[in-house]
Amino acid sequence: VRDAFAPVGLMLDYWNESALPGAGMPIPVTLINDLPAPWSGPVILSVKSGGRVLAEKKLKARIAAFGTTNVLFNLTWPEQTGPCILDAELRGADGEPVHSVRDVTIKPQ
C-alpha cells in the first residue's frame, strides 16, 4: 500500500483483463506530484512474466509542483501467451521505486 501514498505517484489507466499477442495499443499513465517542487525522471512500462521482462518502454516525464500529467506509451504486447503483469514504475522523490500494476492474460481471441 506504500505506493498508493507516495508523494510522487502514478496510475496505469488500463483496465482490460486480457490482451492480444502482438497487438499494439496505447497505454496511458497518470502521474501525480503532491510535493511543492517539480519532479522529473523516467517512467518505465513493462510486461513481465515469471520474473522475466517480455517488453519494456521508457519515457521521460516532468510533473509540476502539486500537479498531474499524463504520459502515453505505445505498447506492442509480446507474442508469448499466458498470465503476465503490466507494470508502470517511476523513482519517487526519495529515490525509491513506485509502481502501478495490473494482471493481464495475453491470449488469442
Side-chain angles (χ1 to χ4, degrees):
V1 201
R2 180 191 71 83
D3 291 350
F5 295 99
V8 177
L10 71 170
M11 184 196 72
L12 270 166
D13 192 8
Y14 183 82
W15 304 99
N16 296 339
E17 294 179 359
S18 63
L20 293 172
M25 85 173 4
I27 307 278
V29 178
T30 300
L31 309 178
I32 304 132
N33 182 4
D34 286 338
L35 298 174
W39 175 93
S40 63
V43 180
I44 302 166
L45 182 72
S46 56
V47 179
K48 301 174 181 177
S49 178
R52 292 185 20 229
V53 175
L54 305 177
E56 184 173 272
K57 298 274 186 169
K58 185 185 291 190
L59 295 174
K60 292 199 83 164
R62 183 178 189 286
I63 318 166
F66 301 116
T68 64
T69 193
N70 295 302
V71 294
L72 185 64
F73 288 90
N74 291 310
L75 177 71
T76 300
W77 290 98
E79 294 291 339
Q80 178 178 323
T81 59
C84 65
I85 294 176
L86 181 63
D87 181 2
E89 174 187 338
L90 59 74
R91 294 280 171 173
D94 60 0
E96 292 295 316
V98 178
H99 296 268
S100 178
V101 298
R102 303 285 184 270
D103 292 322
V104 179
T105 301
I106 301 173
K107 62 181 180 181
Q109 275 184 305

